[in-house]
Amino acid sequence: MSYNYKGISNQIRLRSKVFVPYVNWVNAFTEEELTLIENLMDETPLDTAMITKLGDDSGTGLVNDLRTSKVSFHNPNEKNNWIFERFNMVIDNLNTKFYNFDINGYDGFQYAEYHGDELGKYEWHTDMYIGEMPYDEEHRKLSLVMLLNEPDADFEGGDFELIQSSLNSPEKINLSRGKIIVFPSFLFHRVTPVLKGIRKSIVIWTLGPKFR
């Protein structure tokens, strides 16, 4: 689906920007809904997170020291379809307003836990494959991250950082429970080590045809 900035905007200068590194959305879910999502995530066993090696189409993934976390993957069903509908609304609105990327959608989301007793982390990386893509026929274009619990209260460390222009000056993005951040999948980002507690988050990679 291609977007052509449908509708009238009262912030037309935002539409003319060449590039917006990230945007956010707050209050997409109520506190009660966030708790319900947490409870749904607890129903699915977690696996050790794998890193996909470029050129490897075996589907087995690769465990290395780039990432230390536990994950589960969720596709739409009768119990969680309302969650997908809410994320769809957020992505659709933010893409139309800020990026105008040609995107189609996504099949599911990833739930991730970073544990303090393991110094859970995810070092610098991009979500978009550069070179031969091992799985998806389409490219990851927009990434979404939402925290399910509260920094400092539920965990320490685990900062989300993003590179805009210089490796020497990453920007810490202030996230809180339920706050959503959306950014182009080709930007480098990381989760710093969690020092205490468990950091819980949902990640979505929205797909579309090759950039042109």
Side-chain angles (χ1 to χ4, degrees):
M1 179 183 299
S2 296
Y3 293 96
N4 296 303
Y5 295 135
K6 298 177 181 178
I8 294 174
S9 172
N10 297 123
Q11 296 177 312
I12 58 175
R13 290 187 178 182
L14 290 177
R15 288 187 172 181
S16 66
K17 284 186 175 180
V18 175
F19 179 70
V20 180
Y22 65 91
V23 291
N24 59 68
W25 191 292
V26 295
N27 299 324
F29 299 93
T30 66
E31 281 294 318
E32 292 76 14
E33 289 172 334
L34 291 170
T35 299
L36 179 56
I37 295 173
E38 276 193 89
N39 294 337
L40 287 174
M41 298 303 99
D42 289 340
E43 296 177 2
T44 305
L46 300 176
D47 297 314
T48 300
M50 301 286 188
I51 303 298
T52 301
K53 183 178 180 180
L54 291 179
D56 179 8
D57 58 1
S58 65
T60 58
L62 177 70
V63 178
N64 61 18
D65 60 1
L66 181 68
R67 182 179 189 182
T68 305
S69 62
K70 304 178 187 299
V71 298
S72 60
F73 292 89
H74 301 263
N75 298 107
N77 57 47
E78 291 183 358
K79 294 180 67 174
N80 65 22
N81 194 59
W82 64 275
I83 303 174
F84 282 87
E85 290 178 352
R86 202 74 56 82
F87 280 130
N88 292 349
M89 179 272 296
V90 171
I91 295 169
D92 198 9
N93 275 274
L94 291 180
N95 182 57
T96 300
K97 185 175 182 180
F98 293 99
Y99 294 108
N100 199 30
F101 285 174
D102 192 358
I103 58 176
N104 288 321
Y106 57 99
D107 294 325
F109 63 76
Q110 175 190 265
Y111 169 68
E113 290 187 358
Y114 296 82
H115 290 238
D117 57 7
E118 299 176 338
L119 294 179
K121 64 175 183 176
Y122 200 163
E123 298 289 358
W124 290 117
H125 66 286
T126 69
D127 294 331
M128 183 177 178
Y129 294 117
I130 305 298
E132 182 180 355
M133 294 188 299
Y135 301 121
D136 303 318
E137 294 182 1
E138 292 191 307
H139 293 256
R140 292 177 177 178
K141 287 191 166 182
L142 282 177
S143 297
L144 176 150
V145 176
M146 183 181 80
L147 280 185
L148 276 177
N149 55 354
E150 193 66 43
D152 298 326
D154 299 316
F155 64 93
E156 297 178 5
D159 295 332
F160 184 87
E161 296 183 341
L162 188 72
I163 293 291
Q164 293 192 35
S165 59
S166 172
L167 293 174
N168 297 320
S169 56
E171 180 175 355
K172 174 185 173 182
I173 310 300
N174 292 320
L175 292 177
S176 56
R177 173 174 160 89
K179 182 177 180 179
I180 294 172
I181 180 173
V182 172
F183 58 96
S185 300
F186 51 74
L187 288 182
F188 276 90
H189 55 284
R190 72 175 177 180
V191 176
T192 64
V194 173
L195 306 176
K196 182 179 179 181
I198 301 175
R199 181 188 190 272
K200 302 178 179 180
S201 64
I202 285 178
V203 176
I204 292 172
W205 303 289
T206 309
L207 306 176
K210 186 182 297 185
F211 282 106
R212 64 180 184 272

